[in-house]
Amino acid sequence: MLTGAPLVSLVMYSSNVAESADFYHHRLGLPHLSAEPNEARLSAGGVDLWLRPAGQHGVRLFGRRDDSSDVVFLTEDIDATRVALEGRGIQFERRRSYEIGSVTDFYDPSGHRLMLYEPSQTALGWPSGPKVREVWRAHGRGGAEVIGPAAGPTLGPPEETGLAGNPLVYLFMFENDQLSALGFYRDQLGLDLLERVHCCNQDCDEEIEGIGKYDGGDVLLSTHHMHEKSMVFDDLGRPYSPREFTPAHGQGIAPVFLVRDVAETTRQLAERGVAFPGGLQDDPAGTLARFEDPFGHPFFLLQRAPGNAEQSKTREGAGSVH
């Protein structure tokens, strides 16, 4: 169904689009792309961030911290990148180093959780490792020692360039039923499952493969189960915020899959039980169709408008709809 359909945008609903656009451009250094009035788009490697006003789209945001998802940027030097971003006014919350490598997180003005990730050699040897290297090879700027060959040399000192050259590599969507997540993403949507692994909480039962990683084109779309048994602690022994999942909290970010024929794709997915209550929606970007996963996370299918068809050729690929 969606096998081979790339994830090309993240709709990020904002309480104030202008404030969020300023954050992503001036604080994080992400380049602006053309956008409709009252919206903004910024390049994050192979995926763009599509900022839309939450109030106009009936989306309720939940203040400063929304931990229902993680938007993860790839870096070859997490310490240098963090120091540089702190110099640009970013306030980091936590850092954790373990089997996967090192991560550190922060929040945008609308409360969306963002993260830096420096992978370990262990993680790069997992089935998802080639996709991480692929994203770096296509969109990363830097050296080859940590992740592998990059798309090109660094764009400049990180204190000047921010996250430019550090592509978005993961989107984690949190859920509370790993088998339901597997049934929806792999079996109903037909996404290519790269691997299932134990989550970052070693107190979870071994048989709980709480993370599923799917091929989203230029990004890994991943599901991550909630930590129900015990807290996860960072490198300084501070607890991560407890995650109590409710569907309402998952509405703030909506990944967008690019398809060639949105009417046919919605028909095929509907036959597999995926609901599209709003039908097909006209938008300046093209034709959209909205659906949700079993946990309340929204998604869009996008068939680009004819004027945007040329722009889509490099991303759509040969296998957008099957």
Side-chain angles (χ1 to χ4, degrees):
M1 304 304 299
L2 289 183
T3 306
L7 196 161
V8 294
S9 300
L10 298 186
V11 172
M12 303 186 72
Y13 292 106
S14 301
S15 52
N16 184 314
V17 169
E19 180 184 18
S20 292
D22 182 77
F23 173 87
Y24 283 103
H25 182 59
H26 290 108
R27 296 291 182 89
L28 297 189
L30 302 184
H32 273 299
L33 301 172
S34 61
E36 296 298 314
N38 301 317
E39 299 184 351
R41 285 183 184 259
L42 299 105
S43 175
V47 178
D48 65 69
L49 306 183
W50 184 0
L51 308 181
R52 309 190 89 178
Q56 292 183 21
H57 293 274
V59 174
R60 180 186 173 193
L61 300 176
F62 286 85
R64 186 172 175 273
R65 296 186 178 185
D66 177 3
D67 290 334
S68 65
S69 61
D70 279 343
V71 177
V72 183
F73 294 88
L74 185 61
T75 178
E76 61 180 345
D77 189 336
I78 195 169
D79 294 323
T81 306
R82 174 171 176 159
V83 168
L85 292 181
E86 286 175 334
R88 296 168 68 99
I90 300 299
Q91 180 179 347
F92 286 85
E93 300 286 333
R94 299 161 292 242
R95 172 174 174 148
R96 189 163 185 232
S97 304
Y98 58 113
E99 188 179 19
I100 67 162
S102 296
V103 295
T104 184
D105 57 8
F106 58 106
Y107 295 85
D108 79 358
S110 295
H112 299 306
R113 184 176 177 180
L114 311 176
M115 183 173 284
L116 304 180
Y117 172 44
E118 180 184 331
S120 67
Q121 291 306 304
T122 297
L124 290 171
W126 294 342
S128 58
K131 174 58 67 172
V132 173
R133 293 184 188 274
E134 180 184 316
V135 172
W136 184 247
R137 179 64 174 171
H139 305 288
R141 303 300 294 264
E145 294 79 11
V146 176
I147 305 168
T154 181
L155 298 171
E159 58 268 22
E160 297 178 7
T161 60
L163 282 183
N166 296 104
L168 196 157
V169 66
Y170 275 105
L171 173 66
F172 282 98
M173 314 289 279
F174 286 90
E175 42 84 2
N176 53 13
D177 185 335
Q178 59 171 333
L179 294 181
S180 293
L182 182 67
F184 182 79
Y185 286 89
R186 183 190 65 183
D187 301 334
Q188 286 185 268
L189 298 187
L191 295 177
D192 184 11
L193 178 65
L194 298 177
E195 69 181 10
R196 291 180 69 201
V197 296
H198 193 277
C199 79
C200 59
N201 188 345
Q202 298 307 310
D203 290 332
C204 289
D205 295 335
E206 278 189 28
E207 64 270 19
I208 296 180
E209 294 178 313
I211 298 178
K213 301 180 181 181
Y214 300 86
D215 188 348
D218 280 332
V219 66
L220 290 97
L221 178 64
S222 301
T223 58
H224 195 308
H225 86 122
M226 295 294 169
H227 301 136
E228 297 178 354
K229 291 194 171 183
S230 61
M231 192 77 69
V232 175
F233 296 90
D234 71 4
D235 289 351
L236 298 178
R238 299 172 300 189
Y240 274 27
S241 300
R243 294 189 179 99
E244 182 179 344
F245 186 85
T246 61
H249 281 78
Q251 296 287 306
I253 294 180
V256 180
F257 290 100
L258 182 65
V259 298
R260 289 196 181 113
D261 187 335
V262 68
E264 176 61 15
T265 306
T266 56
R267 183 193 68 78
Q268 293 178 16
L269 289 173
E271 288 181 350
R272 294 193 175 195
V274 180
F276 296 87
L280 303 183
Q281 309 164 28
D282 290 329
D283 187 271
T287 304
L288 294 168
R290 185 185 183 279
F291 63 97
E292 292 186 0
D293 74 2
F295 317 102
H297 294 295
F299 293 81
F300 287 102
L301 305 180
L302 167 66
Q303 179 182 335
R304 283 202 171 118
N308 294 326
E310 191 66 30
Q311 171 187 355
S312 72
K313 286 182 180 178
T314 57
R315 288 183 174 176
E316 189 171 0
S320 294
V321 181
H322 296 276

